[in-house]
Amino acid sequence: QVQLEESGGGSVEAGESLSISCAASGHTASNYWMGWFRQSPGKEREGVATIYSGGSYDYADSVKGRFTISKDNAKKSVFLQMKNLKPEDTGVYYCAATDDLILSGELLLPRAYKYWGQGTQVTVSS
């Protein structure tokens, strides 16, 4: 079993930056995807960014150019640096991971991930 723990998050104004982190523990595999998803009230959970232990990554179109995902394999950690935040970025951000193979078209689909953190709130005010 893998446990994921997010940290960071908080409240900022539009245009500001924020970073969140996620650390994995437990029985972690050598090769895995770790990603970030978000959910706001009344909306479905959506993929934001994901990164493979080998370095491949993907971003949602809505965050390209503003968000950067990175990793530290030794620490089994993934980070999300968010710049130029917008009110529509508000939501609970969840860390997710899987050691399963994911089809290229499904990298940002929640159903592709086995393990989930509890989430951390990000609020962007206008």
Side-chain angles (χ1 to χ4, degrees):
Q1 191 71 6
V2 175
Q3 294 79 42
L4 301 174
E5 183 173 1
E6 301 99 339
S7 59
S11 297
V12 297
E13 295 187 354
E16 293 185 339
S17 300
L18 197 63
S19 293
I20 53 179
S21 303
C22 173
S25 61
H27 186 64
T28 55
S30 299
N31 300 305
Y32 52 90
W33 287 93
M34 287 186 76
W36 290 99
F37 294 77
R38 66 187 180 191
Q39 188 168 19
S40 54
K43 294 186 177 181
E44 292 186 354
R45 191 170 298 187
E46 63 175 354
V48 176
T50 190
I51 190 165
Y52 188 59
S53 51
S56 301
Y57 55 87
D58 195 17
Y59 292 96
D61 289 342
S62 60
V63 305
K64 285 181 180 177
R66 300 189 298 121
F67 290 13
T68 301
I69 191 169
S70 60
K71 60 182 176 62
D72 184 332
N73 287 346
K75 296 182 178 180
K76 300 288 187 182
S77 296
V78 65
F79 313 96
L80 188 67
Q81 182 180 39
M82 303 177 286
K83 296 182 178 180
N84 190 22
L85 282 160
K86 304 176 180 180
E88 51 264 41
D89 293 319
T90 294
V92 178
Y93 281 67
Y94 296 92
C95 178
T98 187
D99 50 8
D100 290 339
L101 293 177
I102 307 179
L103 297 176
S104 60
E106 298 187 351
L107 293 176
L108 294 176
L109 294 182
R111 66 170 182 254
Y113 293 77
K114 291 194 302 188
Y115 308 107
W116 291 86
Q118 294 299 308
T120 185
Q121 178 70 42
V122 172
T123 302
V124 184
S125 58
S126 58

